[in-house]
Amino acid sequence: MTETISAIAINPFQRELESTPTEPIAAPRPGGNYVVDASVIEETSVVHAQQYGVSLWGNTAKIIAQEPSGKTKIFFLKVVTLGETGRHMCEGEFESLKAIHAVSPGFVPQPYAWGKYRREGPEAYFLLAEFRDVGEQPAEPIQLAQNLADLHQRSLSPTGKFGFHRATIEEDWDARNLLYSLTFNIGNTIYIPGSTQKHVVYEDMTTLCKMFCPEDLDKAISKLKASTNQKDSEQVGSERDSRSEGQEGQEEEEEEEEEEEEEIEEPVE
């Protein structure tokens, strides 16, 4: 039986891996020879390539290559044949690894490239990264938590918001990032004096409404504009009445002053 979430098939093997492991997970094993597409490595000659481990979404391989200088270098290759979904996955993982590696280079392998296969056949995309031997699985929890904490403490969002600038799998992740950041940004606006997040909250909420309920957004904006126009009209009318009352009052005062002056000027008999 196969289920789908975001157009990605979930097979029994994946379902088994998604359960919490109770036994140590075996390290990836090398397999048979693997043919590397010409789009992956252009200025480096492939000495040997073999299948390596198992991927839930495509194929993985270990590549031993020789650089023009004669130095040997080992790469990890992931190939995904899921069309546009595969493109999002490879590009998203490349950007994610690049961002993490820039802050904590020892935490993840260095990414080198991602792109589209040139070969004929099903549309395929690849991710090329530094090869690292996989050690103990699952990771030692305390050390993993410490590394994650260090990553978050030393990283800095380029936009000042929660989320990532690139969709990692499907476009709806952008909406999730905006949604998850709303609580923080709204709290920032309410409780921090001089907060500049008010405009961010407005833009994020407008974006989400345009994505999921554009008709409701249009109705709400129309209603808000009508209410604003009515308030403006009432305010203009009120100001006009105030000016009129003020003018009448001023005229009455002037008349009273003139009458008093006339009384003063009358001759005494």
Side-chain angles (χ1 to χ4, degrees), residues 120-142:
E120 296 182 1
E123 185 177 1
Y125 292 87
F126 71 89
L127 169 70
L128 186 69
E130 170 192 6
F131 179 87
R132 290 189 180 181
D133 286 314
V134 178
E136 179 185 354
Q137 293 189 93
E140 200 282 317
I142 295 179

Side-chain angles (χ1 to χ4, degrees), residues 41-57:
I41 300 178
E42 297 181 345
E43 299 180 359
T44 304
S45 59
V46 176
V47 177
H48 181 64
Q50 61 185 149
Q51 296 177 358
Y52 183 80
V54 178
S55 171
L56 300 178
W57 316 118

Side-chain angles (χ1 to χ4, degrees), residues 121-257:
E123 185 177 1
Y125 292 87
F126 71 89
L127 169 70
L128 186 69
E130 170 192 6
F131 179 87
R132 290 189 180 181
D133 286 314
V134 178
E136 179 185 354
Q137 293 189 93
E140 200 282 317
I142 295 179
Q143 184 62 48
L144 176 62
Q146 289 176 344
N147 289 339
L148 284 172
D150 176 71
L151 171 66
H152 286 287
Q153 286 177 345
R154 295 194 294 115
S155 62
L156 180 66
S157 170
T159 61
K161 298 190 294 182
F162 177 86
F164 200 56
H165 69 284
R166 186 79 62 182
T168 53
I169 297 182
E170 296 287 346
E171 291 299 330
D172 61 357
W173 279 96
D174 290 340
R176 293 188 187 190
N177 287 337
L178 292 178
L179 184 62
Y180 293 156
S181 67
L182 274 178
T183 302
F184 169 80
N185 289 332
I186 291 174
N188 183 295
T189 301
I190 296 173
Y191 298 111
I192 298 181
S195 171
T196 59
Q197 295 296 308
K198 185 180 295 185
H199 179 70
V200 172
V201 171
Y202 173 79
E203 292 294 335
D204 287 353
M205 294 183 72
T206 302
T207 299
L208 288 169
C209 289
K210 286 181 178 179
M211 294 175 68
F212 299 106
C213 53
E215 294 181 358
D216 293 336
L217 176 63
D218 291 340
K219 291 179 181 178
I221 291 178
S222 298
K223 185 176 180 180
L224 179 61
K225 287 181 178 179
S227 175
T228 302
N229 292 336
Q230 182 179 357
K231 288 181 179 179
D232 291 342
S233 298
E234 292 175 352
Q235 183 176 359
V236 171
S238 177
E239 291 176 353
R240 186 185 299 113
D241 294 340
S242 297
R243 286 197 299 269
S244 178
E245 292 176 358
Q247 186 174 359
E248 291 177 358
Q250 185 176 0
E251 291 176 354
E252 290 178 357
E253 290 179 359
E254 291 176 354
E255 290 178 357
E256 291 177 357
E257 290 177 357

